[in-house]
Amino acid sequence: MLLALAVAAWPSVGHAADTDLALPTVRDRIFHFPGFALSSEQILSLGLLVCLLGVAFGVYEYGKLKALPAHKSMLDISTLIYSTCRTYLF
């Protein structure tokens, strides 16, 4: 019993916090690929560009889908599903 209590209390002995972590800067690393090298800042920028392209593609496809004709009963069902989900969310 005493051993279980000691094991349960062991994590409370440490006095480290998140503010004690040493975070590296973004420009610390350079990644070498065959024929070229990229810094971590460039890789982050490329990732953000890919995300923005994905958002633009999604908006474009949404616009195309929104412009398609739909049957009245399908629109009624989609409105019902949307309002049900909205009600559950709130």
Side-chain angles (χ1 to χ4, degrees):
M1 180 70 178
L2 187 59
L3 180 62
L5 185 60
V7 169
W10 183 261
S12 64
V13 174
H15 297 289
D18 289 342
T19 56
D20 297 329
L21 293 174
L23 297 176
T25 62
V26 178
R27 296 176 193 90
D28 277 352
R29 291 289 308 252
I30 301 228
F31 297 92
H32 298 280
F33 299 100
F36 64 96
L38 292 174
S39 71
S40 54
E41 187 177 40
Q42 290 171 327
I43 292 175
L44 178 64
S45 298
L46 285 173
L48 290 173
L49 178 66
V50 168
C51 290
L52 288 175
L53 289 174
V55 167
F57 176 74
V59 168
Y60 171 73
E61 288 296 319
Y62 175 76
K64 281 182 21 180
L65 186 64
K66 190 78 171 165
L68 290 175
H71 193 270
K72 171 89 169 84
S73 61
M74 291 300 291
L75 293 174
D76 293 341
I77 292 296
S78 67
T79 304
L80 176 66
I81 292 172
Y82 174 76
S83 62
T84 304
C85 291
R86 188 182 60 204
T87 302
Y88 285 141
L89 183 64
F90 291 128

Coordinates of all heavy atoms in Angstrom, one line a residue:
M1 N 0.8 -1.2 0.0 CA 0.0 0.0 0.0 C 0.9 1.3 0.0 O 0.6 2.2 -0.7 CB -0.9 0.0 1.2 CG -1.8 1.1 1.3 SD -3.0 1.1 0.0 CE -4.0 2.5 0.4
L2 N 1.9 1.2 0.8 CA 2.8 2.4 0.9 C 3.6 2.6 -0.4 O 3.8 3.7 -0.8 CB 3.7 2.2 2.1 CG 4.6 3.4 2.4 CD1 3.8 4.6 2.7 CD2 5.5 3.1 3.6
L3 N 3.9 1.4 -1.0 CA 4.6 1.5 -2.3 C 3.7 2.1 -3.4 O 4.2 3.0 -4.2 CB 5.1 0.1 -2.7 CG 5.8 0.0 -4.0 CD1 7.1 0.8 -3.9 CD2 6.1 -1.4 -4.4
A4 N 2.5 1.8 -3.4 CA 1.5 2.3 -4.4 C 1.4 3.8 -4.2 O 1.3 4.6 -5.1 CB 0.2 1.6 -4.3
L5 N 1.3 4.3 -3.0 CA 1.2 5.7 -2.7 C 2.5 6.4 -3.1 O 2.4 7.5 -3.6 CB 0.9 5.9 -1.2 CG 0.7 7.3 -0.7 CD1 -0.5 7.9 -1.4 CD2 0.5 7.4 0.8
A6 N 3.6 5.8 -2.9 CA 4.9 6.5 -3.3 C 5.0 6.6 -4.8 O 5.4 7.6 -5.3 CB 6.0 5.7 -2.7
V7 N 4.5 5.6 -5.5 CA 4.6 5.6 -7.0 C 3.6 6.6 -7.5 O 3.9 7.4 -8.5 CB 4.3 4.2 -7.6 CG1 4.0 4.3 -9.1 CG2 5.4 3.2 -7.2
A8 N 2.4 6.8 -6.9 CA 1.4 7.7 -7.3 C 1.9 9.2 -7.0 O 1.6 10.1 -7.8 CB 0.1 7.5 -6.6
A9 N 2.7 9.4 -6.0 CA 3.2 10.7 -5.6 C 4.4 11.1 -6.4 O 4.8 12.2 -6.3 CB 3.4 10.8 -4.1
W10 N 5.1 10.1 -7.0 CA 6.4 10.4 -7.7 C 6.4 11.5 -8.7 O 7.2 12.4 -8.7 CB 6.9 9.1 -8.3 CG 8.3 9.3 -8.9 CD1 8.6 9.5 -10.2 CD2 9.5 9.3 -8.2 NE1 9.9 9.7 -10.4 CE2 10.5 9.6 -9.2 CE3 9.9 9.2 -6.9 CZ2 11.8 9.6 -8.9 CZ3 11.2 9.2 -6.6 CH2 12.2 9.5 -7.6
P11 N 5.3 11.7 -9.6 CA 5.4 12.8 -10.6 C 5.3 14.1 -9.9 O 5.7 15.1 -10.5 CB 4.1 12.5 -11.4 CG 3.8 11.1 -11.3 CD 4.3 10.7 -9.9
S12 N 4.8 14.2 -8.7 CA 4.6 15.6 -8.1 C 6.0 16.1 -7.6 O 6.1 17.2 -7.2 CB 3.6 15.5 -7.0 OG 4.0 14.7 -6.0
V13 N 7.0 15.2 -7.6 CA 8.3 15.7 -7.1 C 9.0 16.6 -8.1 O 9.7 17.6 -7.7 CB 9.2 14.4 -6.9 CG1 10.6 14.8 -6.5 CG2 8.6 13.5 -5.8
G14 N 8.8 16.4 -9.4 CA 9.4 17.3 -10.4 C 8.9 18.7 -10.4 O 7.7 18.9 -10.0
H15 N 9.7 19.7 -10.7 CA 9.3 21.1 -10.7 C 9.5 21.7 -12.0 O 9.8 22.9 -12.1 CB 10.1 21.8 -9.6 CG 9.9 21.3 -8.2 ND1 8.7 21.5 -7.5 CD2 10.7 20.6 -7.4 CE1 8.8 20.9 -6.3 NE2 10.0 20.4 -6.2
A16 N 9.4 21.0 -13.1 CA 9.5 21.6 -14.4 C 8.1 22.0 -14.9 O 7.1 21.5 -14.6 CB 10.1 20.5 -15.4
A17 N 8.2 23.1 -15.8 CA 6.9 23.6 -16.3 C 7.2 23.8 -17.8 O 8.3 23.7 -18.3 CB 6.6 24.9 -15.7
D18 N 6.1 24.1 -18.6 CA 6.2 24.3 -20.0 C 7.0 25.5 -20.3 O 7.7 25.6 -21.3 CB 4.8 24.5 -20.6 CG 4.0 23.2 -20.6 OD1 4.6 22.1 -20.5 OD2 2.8 23.3 -20.8
T19 N 7.1 26.5 -19.4 CA 7.9 27.7 -19.6 C 9.4 27.4 -19.5 O 10.2 28.2 -20.0 CB 7.5 28.8 -18.6 OG1 7.7 28.3 -17.3 CG2 6.1 29.2 -18.8
D20 N 9.8 26.3 -19.0 CA 11.2 25.9 -18.9 C 11.7 25.3 -20.2 O 12.9 25.0 -20.3 CB 11.4 25.0 -17.7 CG 11.0 25.6 -16.4 OD1 11.2 26.8 -16.3 OD2 10.6 24.9 -15.5
L21 N 10.8 25.0 -21.1 CA 11.3 24.3 -22.4 C 12.0 25.3 -23.3 O 11.6 26.4 -23.4 CB 10.1 23.8 -23.1 CG 9.3 22.6 -22.5 CD1 8.1 22.3 -23.3 CD2 10.2 21.4 -22.3
A22 N 13.1 24.8 -23.8 CA 13.9 25.7 -24.7 C 13.4 25.3 -26.2 O 13.7 24.2 -26.7 CB 15.4 25.4 -24.6
L23 N 12.7 26.2 -26.8 CA 12.2 26.0 -28.1 C 13.2 26.5 -29.2 O 13.8 27.6 -29.1 CB 10.9 26.7 -28.4 CG 9.8 26.2 -27.5 CD1 8.5 27.1 -27.7 CD2 9.4 24.8 -27.7
P24 N 13.5 25.6 -30.2 CA 14.4 26.1 -31.3 C 13.8 27.1 -32.2 O 12.5 27.2 -32.3 CB 14.7 24.8 -32.0 CG 13.5 23.9 -31.8 CD 13.0 24.3 -30.4
T25 N 14.6 27.9 -32.8 CA 14.0 28.9 -33.7 C 13.7 28.2 -35.0 O 14.2 27.0 -35.3 CB 15.0 30.0 -34.0 OG1 16.2 29.5 -34.6 CG2 15.4 30.8 -32.8
V26 N 12.9 28.8 -35.9 CA 12.5 28.2 -37.1 C 13.7 28.0 -38.1 O 13.8 27.1 -38.9 CB 11.4 29.0 -37.8 CG1 11.0 28.5 -39.1 CG2 10.2 29.1 -36.9
R27 N 14.7 28.8 -38.0 CA 15.8 28.8 -39.0 C 16.9 27.9 -38.6 O 18.0 28.0 -39.2 CB 16.3 30.3 -39.2 CG 15.2 31.1 -39.8 CD 15.7 32.6 -39.9 NE 14.7 33.5 -40.3 CZ 13.9 34.1 -39.4 NH1 14.1 33.9 -38.1 NH2 13.0 34.9 -39.7
D28 N 16.8 27.1 -37.6 CA 17.9 26.3 -37.1 C 18.3 25.2 -38.0 O 19.5 24.8 -38.0 CB 17.5 25.7 -35.7 CG 17.8 26.7 -34.6 OD1 18.3 27.7 -34.8 OD2 17.4 26.3 -33.5
R29 N 17.4 24.6 -38.8 CA 17.8 23.4 -39.5 C 17.8 23.6 -41.0 O 17.0 24.4 -41.5 CB 16.7 22.3 -39.2 CG 16.8 21.7 -37.9 CD 18.0 20.8 -37.6 NE 18.2 19.8 -38.7 CZ 18.0 18.5 -38.5 NH1 17.6 18.1 -37.4 NH2 18.2 17.7 -39.5
I30 N 18.7 22.9 -41.7 CA 18.7 22.9 -43.2 C 18.6 21.4 -43.6 O 19.3 20.6 -43.1 CB 20.0 23.5 -43.7 CG1 20.1 24.9 -43.2 CG2 20.0 23.4 -45.2 CD1 20.4 26.0 -44.2
F31 N 17.6 21.2 -44.4 CA 17.4 19.8 -44.9 C 17.9 19.7 -46.3 O 17.6 20.4 -47.2 CB 15.9 19.5 -44.9 CG 15.3 19.5 -43.5 CD1 14.7 20.7 -43.0 CD2 15.3 18.4 -42.7 CE1 14.2 20.8 -41.7 CE2 14.8 18.5 -41.4 CZ 14.2 19.6 -40.9
H32 N 18.8 18.7 -46.5 CA 19.4 18.5 -47.8 C 18.7 17.4 -48.5 O 18.5 16.3 -48.0 CB 20.9 18.1 -47.5 CG 21.7 19.2 -46.9 ND1 22.2 20.2 -47.5 CD2 22.0 19.3 -45.6 CE1 22.8 21.0 -46.7 NE2 22.7 20.5 -45.5
F33 N 18.3 17.7 -49.8 CA 17.7 16.8 -50.7 C 18.6 16.6 -51.9 O 19.5 17.4 -52.1 CB 16.3 17.3 -51.1 CG 15.4 17.5 -50.0 CD1 15.2 18.8 -49.4 CD2 14.7 16.5 -49.4 CE1 14.3 19.0 -48.4 CE2 13.8 16.6 -48.4 CZ 13.6 17.9 -47.9
P34 N 18.4 15.6 -52.7 CA 19.3 15.4 -53.9 C 19.2 16.6 -54.8 O 18.1 16.8 -55.4 CB 18.8 14.1 -54.5 CG 18.1 13.4 -53.4 CD 17.5 14.5 -52.5
G35 N 20.2 17.4 -54.9 CA 20.3 18.5 -55.8 C 19.9 19.9 -55.2 O 20.1 20.9 -55.8
F36 N 19.3 19.9 -54.0 CA 19.0 21.2 -53.4 C 18.8 21.0 -51.9 O 18.8 19.9 -51.4 CB 17.7 21.8 -54.0 CG 16.5 20.9 -53.8 CD1 15.6 21.2 -52.7 CD2 16.2 19.9 -54.6 CE1 14.5 20.4 -52.5 CE2 15.1 19.1 -54.4 CZ 14.2 19.4 -53.3
A37 N 18.8 22.2 -51.2 CA 18.6 22.2 -49.8 C 17.6 23.2 -49.4 O 17.4 24.2 -50.1 CB 19.9 22.5 -49.1
L38 N 16.8 22.9 -48.4 CA 15.8 23.8 -47.9 C 15.9 24.1 -46.4 O 16.2 23.1 -45.7 CB 14.4 23.3 -48.2 CG 13.9 23.1 -49.6 CD1 12.6 22.4 -49.7 CD2 13.8 24.5 -50.3
S39 N 15.7 25.3 -46.0 CA 15.7 25.6 -44.6 C 14.3 25.2 -44.0 O 13.3 25.0 -44.8 CB 16.0 27.0 -44.3 OG 14.9 27.8 -44.7
S40 N 14.2 25.1 -42.7 CA 12.9 24.7 -42.1 C 11.9 25.8 -42.3 O 10.7 25.6 -42.5 CB 13.1 24.4 -40.6 OG 13.8 25.5 -40.0
E41 N 12.4 27.1 -42.5 CA 11.4 28.2 -42.8 C 10.9 28.0 -44.2 O 9.7 28.3 -44.4 CB 12.2 29.5 -42.6 CG 11.3 30.7 -42.7 CD 12.0 32.0 -42.5 OE1 13.1 32.1 -43.0 OE2 11.5 32.9 -41.8
Q42 N 11.7 27.6 -45.1 CA 11.2 27.4 -46.5 C 10.2 26.2 -46.6 O 9.2 26.3 -47.3 CB 12.3 27.2 -47.4 CG 13.2 28.4 -47.7 CD 14.5 28.1 -48.4 OE1 15.0 27.0 -48.3 NE2 14.9 29.0 -49.2
I43 N 10.5 25.2 -45.8 CA 9.6 24.0 -45.8 C 8.2 24.5 -45.2 O 7.2 24.1 -45.6 CB 10.2 22.9 -45.0 CG1 11.4 22.3 -45.8 CG2 9.2 21.8 -44.8 CD1 12.2 21.2 -45.1
L44 N 8.3 25.3 -44.1 CA 7.0 25.8 -43.5 C 6.3 26.6 -44.5 O 5.0 26.5 -44.6 CB 7.4 26.6 -42.2 CG 6.2 27.2 -41.5 CD1 5.3 26.1 -40.9 CD2 6.7 28.1 -40.4
S45 N 6.9 27.5 -45.2 CA 6.3 28.3 -46.2 C 5.6 27.5 -47.3 O 4.5 27.8 -47.8 CB 7.3 29.3 -46.8 OG 7.8 30.1 -45.8
L46 N 6.4 26.5 -47.8 CA 5.8 25.6 -48.8 C 4.5 24.8 -48.3 O 3.6 24.7 -49.0 CB 6.8 24.6 -49.3 CG 7.9 25.1 -50.2 CD1 9.0 24.1 -50.5 CD2 7.3 25.6 -51.5
G47 N 4.6 24.4 -47.0 CA 3.4 23.8 -46.4 C 2.2 24.7 -46.4 O 1.1 24.3 -46.6
L48 N 2.5 26.0 -46.0 CA 1.4 26.9 -45.9 C 0.8 27.2 -47.3 O -0.4 27.4 -47.5 CB 1.8 28.2 -45.3 CG 2.1 28.1 -43.8 CD1 2.7 29.4 -43.3 CD2 0.8 27.8 -43.0
L49 N 1.7 27.2 -48.3 CA 1.3 27.4 -49.7 C 0.4 26.2 -50.2 O -0.7 26.4 -50.8 CB 2.5 27.6 -50.6 CG 2.2 27.7 -52.1 CD1 1.4 29.1 -52.4 CD2 3.4 27.7 -52.9
V50 N 0.8 25.0 -49.8 CA 0.0 23.8 -50.2 C -1.4 23.9 -49.5 O -2.4 23.6 -50.1 CB 0.7 22.5 -49.8 CG1 -0.2 21.3 -49.8 CG2 1.9 22.3 -50.7
C51 N -1.4 24.4 -48.2 CA -2.7 24.5 -47.5 C -3.6 25.6 -48.2 O -4.8 25.4 -48.4 CB -2.5 24.9 -46.1 SG -1.8 23.6 -45.1
L52 N -3.0 26.7 -48.6 CA -3.8 27.7 -49.3 C -4.3 27.2 -50.6 O -5.5 27.5 -51.0 CB -2.9 29.0 -49.5 CG -2.7 29.8 -48.2 CD1 -1.7 30.9 -48.5 CD2 -4.0 30.3 -47.6
L53 N -3.5 26.5 -51.4 CA -4.0 25.9 -52.6 C -5.1 24.9 -52.4 O -6.1 24.9 -53.1 CB -2.8 25.2 -53.3 CG -1.8 26.1 -54.0 CD1 -0.6 25.3 -54.5 CD2 -2.4 26.9 -55.0
G54 N -5.1 24.2 -51.3 CA -6.1 23.3 -50.9 C -7.4 24.0 -50.6 O -8.5 23.6 -51.0
V55 N -7.3 25.1 -49.9 CA -8.5 25.9 -49.6 C -9.1 26.5 -50.9 O -10.3 26.5 -51.1 CB -8.1 27.0 -48.6 CG1 -9.3 28.0 -48.5 CG2 -7.8 26.4 -47.2
A56 N -8.2 27.0 -51.8 CA -8.7 27.6 -53.0 C -9.4 26.5 -53.9 O -10.5 26.7 -54.4 CB -7.5 28.2 -53.8
F57 N -8.8 25.3 -53.9 CA -9.5 24.2 -54.6 C -10.8 23.8 -54.0 O -11.8 23.6 -54.7 CB -8.6 23.0 -54.7 CG -9.2 21.8 -55.3 CD1 -9.3 21.7 -56.7 CD2 -9.6 20.7 -54.5 CE1 -9.9 20.6 -57.3 CE2 -10.2 19.6 -55.1 CZ -10.3 19.5 -56.5
G58 N -10.9 23.8 -52.7 CA -12.2 23.5 -52.0 C -13.2 24.5 -52.3 O -14.4 24.2 -52.6
V59 N -12.9 25.8 -52.3 CA -13.8 26.9 -52.6 C -14.3 26.8 -54.0 O -15.5 26.9 -54.3 CB -13.2 28.3 -52.3 CG1 -14.1 29.4 -52.8 CG2 -13.0 28.4 -50.8
Y60 N -13.4 26.5 -54.9 CA -13.7 26.4 -56.4 C -14.7 25.2 -56.6 O -15.7 25.3 -57.3 CB -12.4 26.2 -57.2 CG -12.7 25.8 -58.6 CD1 -13.1 26.7 -59.5 CD2 -12.4 24.5 -59.1 CE1 -13.3 26.4 -60.9 CE2 -12.6 24.2 -60.4 CZ -13.1 25.1 -61.3 OH -13.3 24.8 -62.6
E61 N -14.4 24.0 -56.0 CA -15.3 22.9 -56.1 C -16.6 23.1 -55.5 O -17.6 22.7 -56.0 CB -14.6 21.6 -55.6 CG -13.4 21.1 -56.4 CD -13.9 20.6 -57.8 OE1 -15.0 20.0 -57.9 OE2 -13.2 20.9 -58.7
Y62 N -16.6 23.8 -54.3 CA -17.9 24.1 -53.7 C -18.8 25.0 -54.6 O -20.0 24.8 -54.7 CB -17.6 24.8 -52.3 CG -18.9 25.3 -51.7 CD1 -19.7 24.4 -51.0 CD2 -19.2 26.7 -51.7 CE1 -20.9 24.9 -50.4 CE2 -20.4 27.1 -51.1 CZ -21.2 26.2 -50.4 OH -22.4 26.7 -49.8
G63 N -18.1 26.0 -55.2 CA -18.9 26.8 -56.2 C -19.5 26.1 -57.3 O -20.6 26.3 -57.7
K64 N -18.7 25.1 -57.9 CA -19.2 24.3 -59.0 C -20.3 23.4 -58.5 O -21.3 23.2 -59.2 CB -18.1 23.4 -59.5 CG -17.1 24.1 -60.4 CD -16.1 23.3 -61.1 CE -16.3 21.8 -61.1 NZ -15.2 21.1 -61.7
L65 N -20.2 22.8 -57.3 CA -21.2 22.0 -56.8 C -22.5 22.7 -56.4 O -23.6 22.3 -56.7 CB -20.7 21.3 -55.5 CG -21.6 20.2 -54.9 CD1 -21.8 19.0 -55.8 CD2 -21.0 19.7 -53.6
K66 N -22.4 23.9 -55.9 CA -23.5 24.8 -55.5 C -24.3 25.2 -56.8 O -25.5 25.3 -56.7 CB -23.0 26.0 -54.8 CG -24.0 26.8 -54.2 CD -24.5 26.2 -52.9 CE -25.4 27.1 -52.1 NZ -26.2 26.5 -51.1
A67 N -23.6 25.3 -57.9 CA -24.3 25.7 -59.2 C -25.1 24.6 -59.9 O -25.9 24.9 -60.8 CB -23.3 26.3 -60.1
L68 N -24.9 23.3 -59.4 CA -25.6 22.2 -60.1 C -27.0 22.2 -59.7 O -27.4 22.6 -58.6 CB -24.9 20.9 -59.6 CG -23.5 20.6 -60.1 CD1 -23.0 19.3 -59.5 CD2 -23.5 20.5 -61.6
P69 N -27.9 21.8 -60.7 CA -29.3 21.8 -60.4 C -29.6 20.6 -59.4 O -28.9 19.6 -59.4 CB -29.9 21.5 -61.7 CG -28.9 20.9 -62.6 CD -27.6 21.4 -62.0
A70 N -30.6 20.8 -58.6 CA -31.0 19.7 -57.7 C -32.6 19.6 -57.7 O -33.3 20.6 -57.9 CB -30.5 20.0 -56.3
H71 N -33.0 18.4 -57.4 CA -34.5 18.2 -57.3 C -35.0 18.8 -56.0 O -34.3 18.9 -55.0 CB -34.8 16.7 -57.4 CG -36.2 16.4 -57.6 ND1 -37.1 16.2 -56.6 CD2 -36.9 16.2 -58.8 CE1 -38.3 16.0 -57.1 NE2 -38.2 15.9 -58.4
K72 N -36.3 19.3 -56.1 CA -36.9 20.0 -54.9 C -36.9 19.1 -53.7 O -36.6 19.6 -52.6 CB -38.3 20.4 -55.3 CG -39.1 20.9 -54.2 CD -39.0 22.4 -54.0 CE -40.0 23.0 -53.0 NZ -39.6 22.9 -51.6
S73 N -37.2 17.8 -53.9 CA -37.3 16.9 -52.7 C -35.9 16.7 -52.1 O -35.7 16.6 -50.9 CB -37.9 15.6 -53.1 OG -37.1 14.9 -54.0
M74 N -34.8 16.7 -52.9 CA -33.5 16.6 -52.4 C -33.1 17.8 -51.6 O -32.4 17.8 -50.6 CB -32.5 16.3 -53.5 CG -32.6 14.9 -54.2 SD -32.4 13.6 -53.0 CE -30.7 13.7 -52.6
L75 N -33.5 19.0 -52.1 CA -33.2 20.2 -51.4 C -33.9 20.3 -50.0 O -33.4 20.8 -49.0 CB -33.6 21.4 -52.2 CG -32.8 21.7 -53.5 CD1 -33.3 22.8 -54.3 CD2 -31.3 21.9 -53.2
D76 N -35.2 19.8 -50.0 CA -35.9 19.7 -48.8 C -35.2 18.8 -47.8 O -35.1 19.2 -46.6 CB -37.3 19.3 -49.0 CG -38.2 20.3 -49.8 OD1 -37.8 21.4 -49.9 OD2 -39.2 19.8 -50.4
I77 N -34.8 17.6 -48.2 CA -34.1 16.7 -47.3 C -32.8 17.3 -46.8 O -32.4 17.2 -45.6 CB -33.8 15.4 -48.0 CG1 -35.1 14.6 -48.3 CG2 -32.9 14.5 -47.2 CD1 -35.9 14.3 -47.0
S78 N -32.0 18.0 -47.7 CA -30.7 18.6 -47.2 C -31.0 19.7 -46.2 O -30.2 19.8 -45.3 CB -29.9 19.1 -48.4 OG -30.6 20.2 -49.0
T79 N -32.1 20.4 -46.4 CA -32.4 21.5 -45.4 C -32.8 20.8 -44.1 O -32.4 21.3 -43.0 CB -33.6 22.3 -45.9 OG1 -33.2 22.9 -47.2 CG2 -33.9 23.4 -45.0
L80 N -33.5 19.7 -44.1 CA -33.9 19.0 -42.9 C -32.7 18.5 -42.2 O -32.5 18.6 -41.0 CB -34.9 17.9 -43.2 CG -35.3 17.0 -42.1 CD1 -36.1 17.8 -41.1 CD2 -36.0 15.8 -42.6
I81 N -31.8 17.9 -42.9 CA -30.5 17.4 -42.3 C -29.7 18.5 -41.7 O -29.2 18.4 -40.6 CB -29.7 16.6 -43.4 CG1 -30.5 15.3 -43.7 CG2 -28.3 16.2 -42.8 CD1 -29.9 14.5 -44.9
Y82 N -29.6 19.6 -42.4 CA -28.8 20.7 -41.9 C -29.4 21.3 -40.7 O -28.7 21.5 -39.7 CB -28.7 21.8 -43.0 CG -28.0 23.1 -42.5 CD1 -26.7 23.1 -42.4 CD2 -28.8 24.2 -42.2 CE1 -26.0 24.3 -41.9 CE2 -28.2 25.3 -41.7 CZ -26.8 25.4 -41.6 OH -26.2 26.5 -41.1
S83 N -30.7 21.5 -40.6 CA -31.3 22.0 -39.4 C -31.2 21.1 -38.3 O -31.1 21.5 -37.1 CB -32.8 22.4 -39.7 OG -33.5 21.3 -40.1
T84 N -31.3 19.7 -38.5 CA -31.2 18.8 -37.4 C -29.8 18.8 -36.9 O -29.6 18.8 -35.6 CB -31.5 17.3 -38.0 OG1 -32.8 17.3 -38.5 CG2 -31.4 16.3 -36.9
C85 N -28.8 18.9 -37.7 CA -27.4 18.9 -37.3 C -27.1 20.2 -36.5 O -26.4 20.2 -35.5 CB -26.4 18.8 -38.4 SG -26.4 17.2 -39.2
R86 N -27.7 21.3 -37.0 CA -27.5 22.6 -36.3 C -28.1 22.6 -34.9 O -27.6 23.1 -33.9 CB -28.1 23.7 -37.1 CG -27.8 25.1 -36.6 CD -28.5 26.2 -37.4 NE -29.9 26.0 -37.4 CZ -30.7 26.4 -38.3 NH1 -30.3 27.1 -39.3 NH2 -32.0 26.2 -38.2
T87 N -29.3 21.9 -34.8 CA -30.0 21.8 -33.5 C -29.2 21.0 -32.6 O -29.0 21.3 -31.4 CB -31.4 21.2 -33.7 OG1 -32.1 22.0 -34.6 CG2 -32.1 21.0 -32.4
Y88 N -28.6 19.8 -33.0 CA -27.8 19.0 -32.2 C -26.5 19.7 -31.7 O -26.0 19.6 -30.6 CB -27.4 17.7 -32.9 CG -28.5 16.7 -32.9 CD1 -28.7 15.9 -34.0 CD2 -29.4 16.5 -31.8 CE1 -29.8 15.0 -34.1 CE2 -30.4 15.6 -31.9 CZ -30.6 14.8 -33.0 OH -31.6 13.9 -33.1
L89 N -26.0 20.6 -32.6 CA -24.8 21.3 -32.3 C -25.0 22.3 -31.2 O -24.2 22.4 -30.3 CB -24.2 22.0 -33.6 CG -22.9 22.7 -33.4 CD1 -21.8 21.8 -33.1 CD2 -22.6 23.5 -34.7
F90 N -26.1 23.0 -31.3 CA -26.4 24.0 -30.2 C -26.9 23.3 -29.0 O -26.8 23.7 -27.9 CB -27.4 25.0 -30.7 CG -26.8 25.9 -31.8 CD1 -27.5 26.1 -33.0 CD2 -25.6 26.6 -31.6 CE1 -27.0 26.9 -34.0 CE2 -25.1 27.4 -32.5 CZ -25.8 27.6 -33.7

